[in-house]
């Protein structure tokens, strides 16, 4: 009897081993055509065909109106300042603003300018922020000759990831952020099954390299991972007379 049991075990182990073995690699082709892929053909995008922005982008702000935006407080009209130069400046204590549309994964372009008259220290100097899906903040801050905790400085993923380098232009000049955001995924029970990721180029320089989000970017406490779907893009009113301005905001849905 003992022999039979041992025999069955050995046979099962052998079978399971055979099942997990990978098939032998195919013979490497010698014809260059064997490794060519012709379809599907990528869609054509005109890089500047939509009033200077990519033809498949949604223009969120071109300096002329706030039609794509609302107050985060009451979903009412935006109260930020519309400037003559095609930018908007945070109107202090009027609250964050957010897109009326909700987004999943996106490529987002925007430009921001710190306030040269803001001489406050640390986190109080031209603090704003770009929130993906209303939850994940890429920090906006004037860090020129102004130190703070590195996972809270400009181009950080707030309280999670310091930027790879400091790539800001001088205070008062326009910075660009090009952000590639992949939204986190949750299963039907609300458990996160895939982390979100953020890549950021500041002024064309890589500052966040496919960073895997730990959850929401909290001021106090640990990141949270409550399930959610598409959500607005939000710009922060830090409520300390930051004077930060934004312009030329567009987004491509991925
Ligand atoms: Mg901020």
């Amino acid at each position: 009897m003992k022999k039979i049991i041992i025999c069955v075990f050995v046979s099962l182990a052998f079978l399971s081993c055979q099942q997990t073995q990978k098939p032998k690699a195919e013979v490497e082709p010698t014809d260059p055509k064997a490794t060519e892929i012709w379809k599907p053909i990528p869609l054509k995008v005109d890089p500047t065909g939509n009033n200077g922005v990519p033809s498949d982008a949604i223009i969120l702000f071109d300096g002329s109106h706030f039609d794509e935006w609302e107050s985060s407080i009451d979903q009412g009209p935006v109260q930020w300042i519309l400037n003559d130069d095609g930018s908007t400046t945070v109107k202090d204590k009027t609250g964050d603003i957010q897109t009326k549309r909700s987004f999943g994964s996106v490529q987002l372009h925007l430009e921001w300018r710190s306030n040269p008259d803001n001489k406050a220290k640390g986190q109080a100097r031209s603090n704003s922020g770009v929130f993906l899906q209303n939850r994940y903040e890429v920090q906006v801050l004037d860090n020129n000759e102004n130190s703070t905790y590195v996972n809270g400085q400009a181009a950080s993923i707030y309280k999670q990831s310091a930027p790879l380098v400091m790539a800001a232009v001088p205070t008062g000049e326009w910075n660009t952020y090009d952000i590639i955001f992949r939204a986190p995924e949750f299963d039907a029970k609300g458990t996160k099954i895939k982390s979100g990721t953020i890549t950021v180029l500041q002024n064309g320089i890589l500052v966040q390299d496919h960073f895997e989000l730990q959850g929401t970017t909290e001021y106090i406490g640990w990141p949270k991972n409550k399930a959610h779907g598409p959500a607005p893009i939000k710009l922060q009113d830090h409520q300390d007379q930051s004077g930060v301005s934004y312009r030329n905001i567009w987004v491509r849905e991925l």
Side-chain angles (χ1 to χ4, degrees), residues 127-129 137 139-140 236 238:
N127 190 328
S128 184
E137 183 183 12
Q139 177 70 300
V140 166
Q236 185 183 39
H238 202 253

Side-chain angles (χ1 to χ4, degrees), residues 8-24:
V8 167
F9 265 109
V10 169
S11 303
L12 282 173
F14 177 70
L15 275 174
S16 95
C17 186
Q18 272 203 324
Q19 278 168 358
T20 54
Q21 266 181 355
K22 287 178 184 167
K24 278 184 184 172

Side-chain angles (χ1 to χ4, degrees), residues 40-248:
I41 298 167
L43 292 173
K44 260 190 185 175
V45 173
D46 181 341
T48 54
N50 184 9
N51 285 320
V53 307
S55 54
D56 63 347
I58 298 166
I59 296 174
L60 293 177
F61 180 71
D62 68 359
S64 56
H65 57 77
F66 289 116
D67 289 1
E68 290 284 342
W69 299 83
E70 62 189 15
S71 162
S72 296
I73 297 173
D74 57 5
Q75 285 69 59
V78 169
Q79 294 180 60
W80 287 17
I81 302 154
L82 205 52
N83 302 308
D84 292 337
D85 66 355
S87 67
T88 176
T89 302
V90 179
K91 189 171 180 185
D92 195 44
K93 295 184 178 62
T94 61
D96 302 339
I97 65 169
Q98 64 188 39
T99 55
K100 291 176 182 172
R101 304 185 203 219
S102 289
F103 295 97
S105 300
V106 294
Q107 174 185 349
L108 174 66
H109 172 91
L110 59 84
E111 296 165 30
W112 63 271
R113 192 180 85 100
S114 49
N115 173 13
D117 298 326
N118 187 333
K119 310 284 188 196
K121 292 204 182 331
Q123 289 285 312
R125 188 180 296 180
S126 289
N127 190 328
S128 184
V130 182
F131 287 75
L132 286 311
Q133 292 193 317
N134 238 331
R135 293 164 173 80
Y136 311 108
E137 183 183 12
V138 180
Q139 177 70 300
V140 166
L141 193 73
D142 180 6
N143 280 121
N144 295 322
E145 315 305 324
N146 177 42
S147 62
T148 186
Y149 44 96
V150 296
N151 61 352
Q153 70 177 63
S156 66
I157 307 303
Y158 188 70
K159 292 275 179 91
Q160 291 188 32
S161 174
L164 298 169
V165 291
M166 293 176 72
V169 294
T171 301
E173 294 184 16
W174 287 96
N175 287 273
T176 63
Y177 272 177
D178 287 285
I179 299 171
I180 295 137
F181 169 70
R182 287 283 174 187
E185 293 174 20
F186 303 86
D187 67 14
K189 288 180 181 168
T191 305
K192 188 171 80 173
I193 52 172
K194 194 172 182 186
S195 293
T197 59
I198 298 189
T199 297
V200 183
L201 289 102
Q202 183 179 8
N203 303 315
I205 293 167
L206 186 68
V207 287
Q208 294 289 343
D209 184 8
H210 201 68
F211 175 71
E212 200 168 292
L213 284 164
Q214 296 155 12
T216 53
T217 51
E218 301 288 332
Y219 175 46
I220 300 170
W222 304 123
K224 308 293 186 292
N225 284 286
K226 198 175 166 202
H228 65 84
I233 293 164
K234 185 170 77 178
L235 302 177
Q236 185 183 39
D237 166 16
H238 202 253
Q239 313 217 352
D240 54 4
Q241 300 178 320
S242 73
V244 172
S245 301
Y246 290 93
R247 72 178 184 188
N248 195 18

